[in-house]
Amino acid sequence: MEDIRQIAEKVKTSLEAAGVSKAQYTVGEKETHEFNVDGGEFSLFRTLFDHSVAITAYKDQKKGTIAINSFEEKALKEAVEECIKSAQSGIADEAYDIAPRQEPECFRDGAYEPDIDLFFERTKELMRQIKERHPRILMEQMIVHHDKVHVIYQNTNGTEFETYKGSYAISLMYSGHEGEVSTSFFGTDILTDSLDRPFMELGSLEKDLADVEAQLSTVPMTGKFEGTVVLPPSSLASFLYSILGNFVSDGVILEKTSIWLDKLQQKVADERITLSISPEDPRIVCGPHYTGDGFRGRDYDLIKDGVLQSFMLSLYVANKAGLSPAANSAYSLVMEGGDVAYEDMIKDIKKGIIVGRFSGGQPSTNGDFSGVAKNSFLVEDGQIKGAISETMINGNLAELLNHLVAISKETVADGSTVLPYVAFDGVVISGKGEPADEQ
């Protein structure tokens, strides 16, 4: 089989022959070793091989894109032809561009070659530990896999980035069961490049399993009040992703619907909040080193000491809006721990809930959200009273950031993010029979 560098050269030659002077393309190959566990038993082991070619070409400031999964010479030529046809039928826009020439670099990250035997043993060890330590957990599905990835990015300005990376991913979906009683499902995902530690010790897996078991016995949550929500790292991540999508992403800046559109270098959050996008943080596994537009990536602060520092923009939207593109294209969220231990954070809460998982629709343009707090616990007078069910919460994402109560000293690194436990005030919490959307 031809090396992907030769495939990239064929794409380059075809583009040049077609008279394309501005283009970028990525050629990659991936080898995946995957174990599946269903109902506590191994149900599948397979090795998958994948080829990918993605091309973006510009003709007369018109953009065409195409992606294929074949390295066949005929398929490559046809892909270039279709990409150019796509560009020719597009609409010209002066904002379309690619990065100027960057210095060539080769990146090597993670565990490129897998240790399949140890990987299998760690998976069996995890299954055994879950059964022994958490007997009321029903593992609905466990998928663990190693991805070995080799990618070359090139553009017509002479940039070349080559990446060799390998990582182990653990994805679990489970629920608690005892007799006829069962809990809502819960999922834990972990990314690692090392098999030195048992999987049970990674991320927040052990605590997640214990919390789901505790939800087999619930306490009633009645009435409606404005209180404190504690967001563990996994649910904090989902709220932060909503904040990014609503206030700083391409779409809302291009459409000018973001309420932060004119807030650069202004305070948008409590001064204790610093949120960074940091794919090169050593706690992030195999984060990307360059952007989709061909810029060498670097870590940056999205919010620093409560002040909005940047939007998360592609080169195209940055050009349209007259702003700067983001320093990287990642979603590698890093928020360092605060000065309060998690246990002390709970002790200081008069009344509120710990939200294990949030199930709700897309927040409105201004950041209003409403949904069900799943896998959650009631906190009263500094004590966790027990698991709750049928509880609604609603509030506003932008206001949430300015109603910070505390950030825990503890953080959880799951390979994709590094986040603490965070408590916010001013959220409406409604028990059974109480509509959450009535303020």
Side-chain angles (χ1 to χ4, degrees):
M1 182 181 294
E2 291 181 278
D3 183 84
I4 64 171
R5 182 171 295 280
Q6 295 173 301
I7 304 302
E9 187 62 31
K10 289 182 177 181
V11 174
K12 177 182 178 181
T13 300
S14 295
L15 288 167
E16 289 175 346
V20 175
S21 59
K22 182 186 291 187
Q24 60 182 4
Y25 43 93
T26 300
V27 179
E29 56 185 357
K30 181 169 72 171
E31 180 180 313
T32 299
H33 298 279
E34 179 181 305
F35 301 110
N36 284 12
V37 176
D38 291 288
E41 301 292 335
F42 282 99
S43 60
L44 176 70
F45 171 67
R46 61 182 177 178
T47 301
L48 304 173
F49 299 91
D50 183 49
H51 298 150
S52 62
V53 179
I55 307 169
T56 300
Y58 301 89
K59 291 279 285 186
D60 303 320
Q61 282 305 118
K62 298 176 181 179
K63 176 182 177 182
T65 61
I66 193 167
I68 62 172
N69 57 5
S70 173
F71 286 171
E72 296 293 329
E73 188 162 350
K74 180 181 178 183
L76 293 173
K77 289 182 178 179
E78 290 177 349
V80 171
E81 291 172 0
E82 289 300 317
C83 187
I84 295 171
K85 287 180 183 178
S86 174
Q88 291 171 335
S89 63
I91 299 173
D93 194 324
E94 291 300 318
Y96 288 135
D97 207 353
I98 57 176
R101 184 181 185 277
Q102 313 283 291
E103 287 299 317
E105 288 191 70
C106 182
F107 309 103
R108 298 181 182 274
D109 296 313
Y112 187 63
E113 295 292 346
D115 185 336
I116 297 300
D117 290 339
L118 182 54
F119 189 30
F120 184 61
E121 289 303 315
R122 285 296 190 205
T123 303
K124 289 197 299 183
E125 175 185 57
L126 177 59
M127 293 168 59
R128 182 176 67 252
Q129 289 176 336
I130 291 174
K131 186 175 181 180
E132 292 172 352
R133 301 183 192 179
H134 306 282
R136 296 183 294 173
I137 289 293
L138 174 64
M139 188 58 58
E140 298 177 22
Q141 189 172 57
M142 177 192 300
I143 300 175
V144 296
H145 59 91
H146 177 275
D147 288 334
K148 172 183 175 181
V149 180
H150 180 200
V151 177
I152 289 179
Y153 166 91
Q154 295 179 345
N155 72 21
T156 49
N157 288 332
T159 297
E160 178 181 294
F161 296 129
E162 185 171 14
T163 303
Y164 297 85
K165 63 181 180 180
S167 60
Y168 301 93
I170 303 100
S171 181
L172 310 179
M173 186 65 66
Y174 48 93
S175 54
H177 288 260
E178 188 171 46
E180 296 183 357
V181 179
S182 62
T183 71
S184 174
F185 71 87
F186 195 82
T188 301
D189 295 297
I190 299 165
L191 195 65
T192 183
D193 56 8
S194 172
L195 298 175
D196 292 345
R197 298 165 58 197
F199 293 156
M200 185 69 86
E201 296 179 6
L202 303 181
S204 59
L205 179 54
E206 181 85 76
K207 187 176 187 308
D208 292 347
L209 291 165
D211 284 349
V212 169
E213 278 192 307
Q215 287 151 14
L216 283 165
S217 177
T218 61
V219 297
M221 232 298 296
T222 59
K224 177 180 175 181
F225 62 96
E226 187 175 287
T228 303
V229 294
V230 177
L231 301 181
S234 58
S235 61
L236 174 63
S238 69
F239 274 84
L240 291 177
Y241 290 139
S242 291
I243 288 169
L244 302 184
N246 261 57
F247 304 143
V248 300
S249 65
D250 267 355
V252 297
I253 300 302
L254 187 61
E255 296 168 7
K256 298 183 178 180
T257 59
S258 170
I259 63 173
W260 287 358
L261 190 62
D262 59 352
K263 299 295 185 182
L264 277 177
Q265 301 305 317
Q266 295 184 34
K267 183 177 181 297
V268 296
D270 186 285
E271 59 273 8
R272 290 170 289 175
I273 292 178
T274 293
L275 179 63
S276 305
I277 311 296
S278 304
E280 297 198 344
D281 187 294
R283 296 165 293 183
I284 300 295
V285 176
C286 295
H289 294 283
Y290 54 90
T291 74
D293 299 305
F295 289 96
R296 175 65 168 90
R298 58 181 175 80
D299 295 350
Y300 71 99
D301 293 326
L302 184 69
I303 298 171
K304 183 173 178 60
D305 301 329
V307 175
L308 180 64
Q309 301 291 320
S310 176
F311 295 121
M312 298 180 69
L313 302 184
S314 65
L315 180 59
Y316 171 73
V317 175
N319 287 343
K320 292 288 284 187
L323 297 165
S324 300
N328 64 59
S329 301
Y331 277 78
S332 307
L333 301 177
V334 175
M335 182 187 291
E336 300 296 352
D339 57 1
V340 179
Y342 175 66
E343 288 188 1
D344 292 333
M345 176 191 293
I346 298 300
K347 289 177 182 177
D348 289 339
I349 294 174
K350 180 65 176 177
K351 190 170 185 180
I353 61 173
I354 303 168
V355 182
R357 180 166 65 90
F358 177 72
S359 177
Q362 178 68 26
S364 61
T365 302
N366 71 346
D368 286 344
F369 67 87
S370 180
V372 182
K374 301 273 192 178
N375 307 99
S376 299
F377 295 86
L378 176 65
V379 179
E380 286 184 327
D381 298 323
Q383 295 184 335
I384 300 175
K385 296 297 185 179
I388 52 177
S389 61
E390 298 187 60
T391 302
M392 296 286 293
I393 61 172
N394 76 318
N396 180 275
L397 295 173
E399 292 177 5
L400 204 66
L401 295 178
N402 287 287
H403 289 169
L404 177 69
V405 175
I407 301 174
S408 72
K409 292 180 179 179
E410 301 89 340
T411 60
V412 172
D414 63 7
S416 299
T417 62
V418 181
L419 296 171
Y421 297 80
V422 181
F424 297 102
D425 249 338
V427 176
V428 176
I429 302 167
S430 308
K432 185 176 180 180
E434 296 288 343
D437 57 352
E438 294 180 4
Q439 296 287 341

